[in-house]
Amino acid sequence: MANPHPPSPILLLDDEELQEDQNAAPGFNDDGEDEDDEDEEEEEEEDEDLIDTDYAVYIASLQHSGVSHNGAGNSRETVASNGAEEWGRKRRRAGEGKTASCDGIGSAESSQGSHWTRNEIDGLFCPICLEAWTNDGDHHICCLPCGHIYGMSCIRKWLQQRKNSGKCPQCNKKCALKDVRKLFASRIVSVDEESQKMIRSLEAKCDSLEKKGAGWCKKEAQWRKLEAELQLKVQKLTERTTYLEHLLGDTHSRTSGQVNAHGAVEGRFASANTILDEKSYGWNFDSKLCGQAYSCNFILEKELQVDGARLFDVDASNQIVLISRRLAGIGGTQALTKLSLIPPYDRDDILLPRSIKVIRDLRICPTNSDLALFACLGKKLSVLSMESNNVILAYDLPAAAWTCSWDLNDSNYVYAGLQNGSLLVFDLRRTAGPVATIKGLTNNPIHTVHSLPNNSALPSGARTVLSASSIGLCLWNVDNAEEGPILVPQTENQGVCISLAYCPSSDNIVASYRPKVEMSDETIFSQPPLTPSRGGIGQGTVGSLVLLKRAGSSNCFKRLGSACTNVCDIGLPKSAIIDLGNHRTLFASEDKLSSKVVLEELPSFTTFQSLKLHKDPVRDLKYTPALKKGLLSCLSGDVLQLFSTRLS
């Protein structure tokens, strides 16, 4: 705070005048002590009444001696007027808050024009000489016991002139020369409490404004993020609209197509702003069927690059494909990828533990698309949540799993076909293990399992499973596990069963066979023939297709037809049955000789359409009906091809 006691007029006298004053003063004894309190109060009042003239005398003497405060002054009369005038100017500048300047620690000149307030002057200048004190030399900053601060040379001269009656020039507290204490500080400034309060208030306001600014910045970031998300949605919807417009244009183009003499469609359609010839996609119809079949032919909608893909399944309701992949790199980590079929085809990769090893089968639940089931060679059967992208249930198996299936009547039940020929039944409400283990007719691996829906001939709640292994088709009564499986009639002596396709909506079943290879020990293997096959090993061999349909009872099947075809001589090929409605059904499989996916009319097995593959061989093939459109998905190499047709 500012000094409550501004500098009072201070008078320095010589020794004779000081002695006369002491002798004339009634309130002092020879030893300099007070006679009584009243005299002391009167003396203090007299000291306080000293006017600027006396103080000017002392100032004049200091001015005459220079900044060093050493040397003798001139005559009192000569100095008084000049000192009084100079002191008056400084007092006016200090009292009125006028400008003053300081060229250094030891000087305070007014010629520089810097602005000083009264508080700053009180904190920087000696109140006796109104010059800046120093931190060394004769004018070293010092203080008295009362706390008032002066320059050393000034207060020393003041106390030496007063001798035993020395007092503080500002508060009249008694003090002596021995009481003077040097202060070792480069600068002392008195602080105004009101200013400090204002500073603290302004700092608090600044903090509040900074917090508000940070809050607004955070909100701005949130709005920018929301804006980006909305822009992305707009972009997706725009791309989706463009895609639907192109699809509508394709439909109009197809209706105006012509069929030439060779049975090929000459119509053209627009796709992704490019005019493409439909013949380039391998559309090839039997000339007798083209007229009636043209309305349900398949066109290629899109091709999606999916590196390392092995298997997939389609969730038609949500337009999502779930793909089993092997990631590039040492060890080949297994992963599941969720791929959107809506532009811009977003992907989510779900990494799986190394213990999973190779996934052999993958099925999305037909009644609850939020769940997916997959079987692997790591002796695991796992359930994946499509919503959280996490494995929520995993069963340990006694042997490697080759296939799996959901129960079409009750989604709480799932099935797993094992490498040792056994069928395991699981209830997802019981996490400890299988509720039933049924041993197969042989130890040959079960490579395909399908749950059969209930029909009117079966008891309510009965569960039946159809499986395929190298020995043929087997029927399993899950509710009566003690009976074991039975071989489906009319499928004996067909060869090695390598593929099984089933359509729940039509109850059609197509089994693919290749010739058996009889070894010397009469053991049957599902291996390629030892004799050269058509076109060499891996180029296919002559096999057979058998069409069955389930009759009234659970174990009764009617054979509707058969045909010879070119089938895989190694591996297990994929196939699918396509129900077009209006009692029209197609069978899709790979023709190894032509490296195409061939669509054949059932039950005649007459070629209906050939679809050109991106790359041989076909890794997986699935058909899914949705939204009055049939989607045939084909995975060949690292490319997923999507063919579609309009359903009646």
Side-chain angles (χ1 to χ4, degrees):
M1 293 180 61
N3 189 354
H5 303 285
S8 301
I10 302 173
L11 179 65
L12 296 182
L13 304 176
D14 56 21
D15 295 341
E16 294 179 359
E17 292 173 332
L18 182 62
Q19 185 64 36
E20 292 175 0
D21 291 340
Q22 290 176 351
N23 294 334
F28 287 94
N29 296 328
D30 293 339
D31 55 0
E33 296 180 354
D34 297 342
E35 292 182 352
D36 53 38
D37 294 339
E38 293 180 358
D39 294 339
E40 183 177 358
E41 291 177 357
E42 292 177 357
E43 183 178 303
E44 290 177 356
E45 291 178 356
E46 292 176 358
D47 291 338
E48 291 176 355
D49 291 337
L50 292 177
I51 60 176
D52 293 348
T53 304
D54 295 330
Y55 189 53
V57 173
Y58 176 64
I59 293 300
S61 66
L62 293 179
Q63 292 291 337
H64 180 75
S65 62
V67 178
S68 63
H69 298 80
N70 294 328
N74 291 331
S75 65
R76 195 170 163 187
E77 292 80 4
T78 306
V79 174
S81 60
N82 296 333
E85 181 180 356
E86 178 68 19
W87 179 86
R89 287 198 300 270
K90 292 185 179 181
R91 286 283 289 179
R92 285 192 298 272
R93 287 197 300 269
E96 298 173 5
K98 297 289 179 80
T99 60
S101 65
C102 181
D103 293 334
I105 280 295
S107 65
E109 299 296 337
S110 61
S111 61
Q112 300 299 323
S114 300
H115 294 278
W116 296 86
T117 64
R118 177 60 183 269
N119 290 337
E120 292 174 331
I121 292 175
D122 288 345
L124 293 175
F125 298 96
C126 172
I128 295 177
C129 66
L130 295 182
E131 298 289 345
W133 41 52
T134 64
N135 56 8
D136 59 1
D138 293 338
H139 205 234
H140 195 291
I141 184 173
C142 62
C143 72
L144 299 179
C146 60
H148 290 105
I149 302 174
Y150 305 94
M152 175 63 78
S153 58
C154 294
I155 195 63
R156 181 187 291 117
K157 182 174 287 190
W158 170 270
L159 295 176
Q160 285 175 349
Q161 290 182 354
R162 292 295 181 107
K163 294 185 178 179
N164 294 333
S165 60
K167 296 181 182 180
C168 174
Q170 296 188 63
C171 67
N172 286 330
K173 296 290 183 181
K174 285 187 176 182
C175 61
L177 187 61
K178 65 180 180 179
D179 297 325
V180 179
R181 295 290 183 269
K182 287 185 177 182
L183 299 178
F184 296 94
S186 59
R187 180 176 180 182
I188 295 179
V189 178
S190 59
V191 178
D192 188 352
E193 184 63 26
E194 294 297 328
S195 299
Q196 289 298 103
K197 290 181 179 179
M198 183 176 294
I199 290 173
R200 288 192 291 268
S201 175
L202 292 176
E203 288 177 347
K205 289 182 179 179
C206 289
D207 292 340
S208 176
L209 291 176
E210 288 178 356
K211 291 180 179 179
K212 290 182 179 179
W216 283 112
C217 290
K218 186 176 180 180
K219 290 182 178 179
E220 182 183 8
Q222 293 175 350
W223 281 110
R224 289 185 181 277
K225 183 179 179 181
L226 181 59
E227 181 183 10
E229 293 176 353
L230 292 176
Q231 289 178 351
L232 182 59
K233 289 182 179 179
V234 170
Q235 180 183 355
K236 290 181 179 180
L237 291 175
T238 302
E239 293 178 353
R240 178 64 175 170
T241 302
T242 303
Y243 162 74
L244 293 175
E245 289 176 352
H246 289 166
L247 187 62
L248 182 61
D250 296 346
T251 304
H252 291 322
S253 298
R254 289 200 306 270
T255 58
S256 61
Q258 300 294 328
V259 179
N260 62 13
H262 299 285
V265 177
E266 296 291 352
R268 300 171 67 84
F269 65 97
S271 177
N273 300 324
T274 303
I275 302 299
L276 301 175
D277 192 343
E278 292 178 354
K279 183 188 290 186
S280 64
Y281 288 95
W283 293 18
N284 195 357
F285 305 98
D286 185 273
S287 58
K288 298 179 181 179
L289 299 174
C290 281
Q292 72 180 87
Y294 179 71
S295 61
C296 59
N297 53 26
F298 282 83
I299 65 169
L300 178 63
E301 282 194 5
K302 61 180 71 70
E303 291 183 344
L304 302 174
Q305 181 75 25
V306 189
D307 295 334
R310 294 295 182 267
L311 299 168
F312 71 91
D313 201 4
V314 180
D315 176 11
S317 60
N318 295 317
Q319 293 286 287
I320 292 176
V321 179
L322 184 62
I323 306 171
S324 169
R325 299 172 55 209
R326 183 175 182 179
L327 302 182
I330 300 176
T333 303
Q334 295 291 321
L336 292 174
T337 298
K338 288 170 57 178
L339 175 62
S340 174
L341 296 180
I342 301 175
Y345 312 115
D346 294 331
R347 303 186 183 198
D348 286 330
D349 287 333
I350 308 169
L351 299 182
L352 301 176
R354 293 186 178 275
S355 59
I356 293 295
K357 295 184 179 179
V358 178
I359 295 179
R360 289 301 303 263
D361 203 0
L362 176 64
R363 304 288 182 91
I364 296 176
C365 182
T367 58
N368 182 6
S369 58
D370 290 336
L371 299 177
L373 182 71
F374 62 92
C376 65
L377 297 183
K379 299 181 181 180
K380 292 282 187 180
L381 181 68
S382 304
V383 179
L384 173 77
S385 170
M386 298 279 283
E387 184 176 358
S388 65
N389 293 345
N390 292 318
V391 175
I392 59 175
L393 185 59
Y395 291 105
D396 293 323
L397 305 177
W402 278 45
T403 183
C404 60
S405 176
W406 293 89
D407 191 288
L408 297 181
N409 306 300
D410 187 349
S411 59
N412 290 315
Y413 289 91
V414 295
Y415 308 100
L418 305 186
Q419 187 176 3
N420 60 11
S422 299
L423 178 71
L424 271 60
V425 183
F426 295 89
D427 185 347
L428 299 183
R429 295 164 295 189
R430 298 177 58 182
T431 60
V435 295
T437 300
I438 309 174
K439 190 174 180 180
L441 298 178
T442 67
N443 292 329
N444 295 330
I446 300 176
H447 58 73
T448 310
V449 169
H450 287 289
S451 170
L452 302 180
N454 289 332
N455 57 26
S456 58
L458 295 176
S460 177
R463 295 190 298 275
T464 308
V465 173
L466 181 67
S467 72
S469 63
S470 60
I471 62 171
L473 306 185
C474 289
L475 196 65
W476 308 69
N477 186 355
V478 176
D479 296 321
N480 192 1
E482 292 79 8
E483 293 182 359
I486 59 172
L487 198 63
V488 175
Q490 305 184 48
T491 61
E492 304 91 344
N493 302 322
Q494 292 293 324
V496 178
C497 182
I498 57 175
S499 178
L500 172 63
Y502 173 66
C503 178
S505 60
S506 63
D507 254 348
N508 286 327
I509 301 168
V510 177
S512 303
Y513 295 87
R514 66 170 167 236
K516 293 181 181 179
V517 179
E518 299 291 342
M519 306 300 291
S520 58
D521 56 356
E522 298 183 356
T523 303
I524 300 176
F525 295 93
S526 59
Q527 297 296 329
L530 299 179
T531 57
S533 58
R534 179 188 301 177
I537 295 178
Q539 298 300 314
T541 185
V542 177
S544 61
L545 302 174
V546 177
L547 172 63
L548 302 173
K549 189 178 183 70
R550 191 163 55 143
S553 62
S554 61
N555 58 354
C556 182
F557 292 86
K558 182 180 180 181
R559 182 165 176 163
L560 300 181
S562 62
C564 293
T565 187
N566 187 47
V567 298
C568 295
D569 55 352
I570 58 175
L572 300 173
K574 300 295 183 177
S575 59
I577 296 177
I578 303 171
D579 186 5
L580 298 176
N582 294 330
H583 306 288
R584 301 200 55 204
T585 308
L586 302 178
F587 174 70
S589 63
E590 180 186 8
D591 184 356
K592 296 296 294 184
L593 190 60
S594 63
S595 297
K596 294 181 180 180
V597 172
V598 178
L599 306 184
E600 299 173 291
E601 283 270 9
L602 295 180
S604 63
F605 288 102
T606 305
T607 301
F608 168 72
Q609 185 178 1
S610 296
L611 304 176
K612 186 177 180 180
L613 293 176
H614 180 270
K615 186 179 180 180
D616 186 56
V618 173
R619 297 186 184 277
D620 204 357
L621 187 66
K622 296 284 175 63
Y623 172 77
T624 310
L627 301 176
K628 296 184 179 181
K629 182 176 73 170
L631 183 65
L632 180 63
S633 308
C634 178
L635 178 62
S636 58
D638 291 335
V639 174
L640 180 64
Q641 295 176 294
L642 301 177
F643 301 90
S644 67
T645 185
R646 188 172 183 177
L647 300 179
S648 57

